[in-house]
Amino acid sequence: MIFHLGELFCGPGGIGWGATHADIGNEEFGIVHQWANDLDESTCRTYTRNICPNEPESVYCEDVHTLDIEKLGAIDALAFGFPCNDFSLVGSKLGFKGKYGPLYTYGIEVLKMYRPMWFLAENVGGLRSANEGKAFDKILSDMKDAGYRIYPNLYKFEEYGIPQARHRIIIVGIRDDLPFEFKIPAPTGEMKTCRQAIEEPPIPADAYNNEPTKQSAQVVRRLNLIGPGQNAWDVDLPEDLKINTKTRISTIYKRLDPEKPSYTVTGSGGGGTHIYHWAEPRALTNRERARLQTFPDDYVFEGSKEQVRKQIGMAVPCEGAKLIFEAILKTFAGIEYDAVEPNIVDEE
């Protein structure tokens, strides 16, 4: 069966790419784009260019609060990486009281209206503990009430060959009148380093979104005193190079360890948060960041340099999404695959 996928909060297309490239070796099972929605204009241009260049009208660049979901059209599957700002471990932790907390409910509305056969929902690992766990319990309850059996799991993407320590709650739901039981795909056992991701093969000289980063003389001096895998707090910096902040976030001016996966790629933040090369005294380019998120080099991001940074940081790793979508397709095709018991606790 070919599943027609709708997406809310589609972002630049990490989920969309993973879905449309999912391949289980059986042409009768696949996923195709049907429609998508996001609020940000440059993000929508990125999604359209890379996922559905011949169907720009299928991408609705609108605020989900006022989006007419009746016009979207029937779908077999839904994906929604609902905005995670208020569920993140970094930030205000407002949960349901915040501006973004209730946005998952628009996904619930689509599930109730179109009754797709399955869905995939994604959020940060901090979702599990938001509002003392009440937010997560409420979300799962609403998904069940919409008519779905649900399979939540905390995926540690570095355990699946993604060159980045990125931990995300992903909830797969299967409509409860269908006889299929999803299983959590087992980690691949492969570990890919950030050096491998960025250097093998080398990024083409004419690659898009690979503009060199510009560092001040002070930042260059600071980075030259920080070793691979270290941050600004790990070394005794001279007074004029010290960071004067009340909170000591571990990723401030942190340089990558070339023999490990990257730390989590983020989409925003000021000085010291851009992810720093292990050997060169500079921040990564957007294309290097995209490689850590497993976007292919021909994936073109639209917008300004900071808009592109935000898009890349908020995306789901393409290859990570692909792996989970392939497990869903195998579930419906009756193909066995290595599986593990679900886990929703981040011990780190």
Side-chain angles (χ1 to χ4, degrees), residues 193-200 223-224 226-230 254-260 262-263 275-284 288 292:
T193 69
C194 57
R195 184 204 296 272
Q196 289 174 309
I198 291 172
E199 292 187 347
E200 300 176 11
L223 290 173
N224 278 328
I226 299 172
Q230 292 183 325
K254 183 170 183 177
R255 303 188 74 167
L256 294 172
D257 183 333
E259 305 311 317
K260 295 180 179 178
S262 165
Y263 53 94
I275 303 187
Y276 297 86
H277 198 276
W278 59 87
E280 301 172 23
R282 62 171 178 85
L284 297 188
E288 290 170 330
L292 297 178

Side-chain angles (χ1 to χ4, degrees), residues 36-338:
N37 158 256
D38 202 276
L39 172 64
D40 183 73
E41 188 269 338
S42 63
T43 298
C44 289
R45 286 192 287 120
T46 295
Y47 185 99
T48 301
R49 177 169 183 161
N50 295 280
I51 304 299
C52 54
N54 298 322
E55 303 171 86
E57 72 285 350
S58 69
V59 179
Y60 299 89
C61 193
E62 300 179 34
D63 187 335
V64 73
H65 291 98
T66 55
L67 176 68
D68 178 11
I69 64 173
E70 292 187 5
K71 74 180 180 183
L72 298 174
I75 49 175
D76 306 305
L78 173 69
F80 57 114
F82 51 102
C84 60
N85 307 55
D86 290 327
F87 293 134
S88 177
L89 292 174
V90 177
S92 58
K93 303 182 186 177
L94 293 172
F96 279 103
K97 296 179 182 178
K99 178 181 177 181
Y100 297 98
L103 290 182
Y104 81 93
T105 59
Y106 292 90
I108 301 295
E109 286 188 33
V110 171
L111 293 177
K112 290 180 176 178
M113 177 170 291
Y114 293 113
R115 300 285 293 150
M117 299 175 74
W118 55 266
F119 72 82
L120 180 149
E122 179 266 349
N123 207 278
V124 293
L127 174 63
R128 182 64 188 89
S129 56
N131 295 94
E132 295 81 44
K134 295 177 182 177
F136 189 60
D137 291 342
K138 172 63 174 170
I139 291 169
L140 297 185
S141 175
D142 286 352
M143 290 173 171
K144 292 176 182 175
D145 290 345
Y148 291 82
R149 293 190 304 279
I150 55 174
Y151 307 88
N153 188 59
L154 178 73
Y155 289 83
K156 298 182 178 181
F157 282 116
E158 68 272 28
E159 297 177 353
Y160 291 85
I162 306 302
Q164 179 191 172
R166 194 176 189 92
H167 299 177
R168 292 294 183 267
I169 290 281
I170 291 182
I171 306 163
V172 171
I174 295 180
R175 207 171 67 205
D176 58 16
D177 64 332
L178 299 175
F180 305 102
E181 291 289 341
F182 179 76
K183 296 179 181 178
I184 308 302
T188 60
E190 174 191 6
M191 196 275 285
K192 189 171 184 179
T193 69
C194 57
R195 184 204 296 272
Q196 289 174 309
I198 291 172
E199 292 187 347
E200 300 176 11
I203 294 174
D206 59 351
Y208 284 93
N209 310 117
N210 198 39
E211 302 88 353
T213 60
K214 297 178 181 179
Q215 318 295 161
S216 69
Q218 183 186 48
V219 168
V220 170
R221 285 178 58 215
R222 181 182 292 124
L223 290 173
N224 278 328
L225 296 173
I226 299 172
Q230 292 183 325
N231 62 36
W233 321 113
D234 292 330
V235 294
D236 186 16
L237 294 172
E239 285 299 322
D240 65 323
L241 297 180
K242 286 184 177 179
I243 311 297
N244 297 312
T245 59
K246 293 182 180 179
T247 56
R248 291 199 169 195
I249 300 174
S250 64
T251 53
I252 295 295
Y253 288 106
K254 183 170 183 177
R255 303 188 74 167
L256 294 172
D257 183 333
E259 305 311 317
K260 295 180 179 178
S262 165
Y263 53 94
T264 305
V265 176
T266 57
S268 61
T273 65
H274 290 73
I275 303 187
Y276 297 86
H277 198 276
W278 59 87
E280 301 172 23
R282 62 171 178 85
L284 297 188
T285 68
N286 276 326
R287 178 52 55 189
E288 290 170 330
R289 294 159 59 84
R291 279 210 172 177
L292 297 178
Q293 285 278 55
T294 63
F295 282 96
D297 286 344
D298 61 359
Y299 205 97
V300 179
F301 295 88
E302 300 277 3
S304 69
K305 196 172 182 180
E306 277 304 306
Q307 287 172 329
V308 170
R309 179 195 174 197
K310 181 178 179 181
Q311 292 174 36
I312 294 170
M314 295 183 72
V316 175
C318 294
E319 294 289 349
K322 177 175 179 283
L323 183 147
I324 298 170
F325 282 120
E326 288 176 345
I328 294 172
L329 292 178
K330 289 176 182 177
T331 298
F332 278 84
I335 298 173
E336 292 291 327
Y337 57 90
D338 291 339

